[in-house]
Amino acid sequence: MTRWRDSLLRIAAIARKELRHLRRDRLTGGMVAGVPLMMTLLFGYAINQDVRHLRAGVLDLSGTQSSRWLVADAQASQVIDVVVGARDYDNGQTDEGRAYLYLGSPSGLALSPVWTAEGNVTNAQFGTSVAGAGDVNGDGFSDVIIGAESFTNDDTREGRAFLYMGSRSGLAASPAWTAE
């Protein structure tokens, strides 16, 4: 019983010391209390620990089966949709790249993609970066942005970003917007 009491006394002493320090150093106190409060007020989800419907992107630079392994590992999760970029994919053009969308369900991710898109330009490396773009057009469906780091049009390796809009039937077959 004495060890338990001594441990509690030590913890109480540390807590008193830290509280005195926070009282003396207002900047640290503001960081400890103010930042989480501001995040909660501004974003509304700072303390939400629910990871369902979390947007995730995977970049497979190795060109191996690692993207498929990630999909298999994610099957144990709740509902999560995954966009996978394979920048060195070849299908008619060398390193044109490809992006895949795998839909999630309560039982896990689908084993086959429901949507794919390709760079269709040699060495474009379409899928170098992939991300959920939120709901850009305000229609209630998530949109996706995909980067092609070495896309060449007027300038060599200028790169290009592609925005694909989501809809009730899934992602659009062609981008709604591009920028170089």
Side-chain angles (χ1 to χ4, degrees):
M1 189 67 148
T2 307
R3 293 179 80 186
W4 178 260
R5 186 175 155 269
D6 289 344
S7 294
L8 288 176
L9 289 174
R10 286 185 190 120
I11 291 171
I14 291 170
R16 279 192 303 274
K17 177 185 135 313
E18 292 301 321
L19 287 172
R20 271 189 304 240
H21 177 73
L22 289 175
R23 224 178 303 135
R24 275 186 265 143
D25 185 0
R26 293 184 186 265
L27 180 62
T28 303
M31 295 293 280
V32 168
V35 170
L37 179 63
M38 286 302 279
M39 287 178 64
T40 302
L41 291 173
L42 292 174
F43 302 113
Y45 59 84
I47 303 175
N48 185 358
Q49 296 177 359
D50 182 10
V51 295
R52 287 177 287 180
H53 305 291
L54 179 68
R55 293 184 185 95
V58 177
L59 176 58
D60 182 11
L61 292 175
S62 64
T64 65
Q65 292 182 337
S66 56
S67 61
R68 281 182 260 160
W69 290 336
L70 176 70
V71 170
D73 287 344
Q75 284 185 340
S77 70
Q78 291 289 325
V79 177
I80 182 172
D81 298 339
V82 176
V83 179
V84 178
R87 73 179 197 164
D88 295 326
Y89 176 82
D90 300 336
N91 187 28
Q93 293 88 15
T94 304
D95 294 341
E96 66 180 294
R98 189 176 213 190
Y100 307 84
L101 172 65
Y102 294 88
L103 293 182
S105 71
S107 62
L109 286 173
L111 294 176
S112 300
V114 296
W115 175 88
T116 61
E118 296 179 10
N120 294 323
V121 173
T122 300
N123 296 321
Q125 296 184 319
F126 182 84
T128 298
S129 55
V130 295
D135 183 8
V136 175
N137 57 355
D139 64 355
F141 297 97
S142 294
D143 307 318
V144 172
I145 191 161
I146 300 171
E149 111 180 304
S150 299
F151 185 90
T152 298
N153 192 13
D154 295 331
D155 297 321
T156 302
R157 297 180 53 125
E158 63 195 87
R160 182 181 268 187
F162 300 80
L163 177 67
Y164 291 87
M165 299 296 187
S167 69
R168 185 174 309 284
S169 60
L171 288 176
S174 58
W177 172 88
T178 63
E180 297 175 12

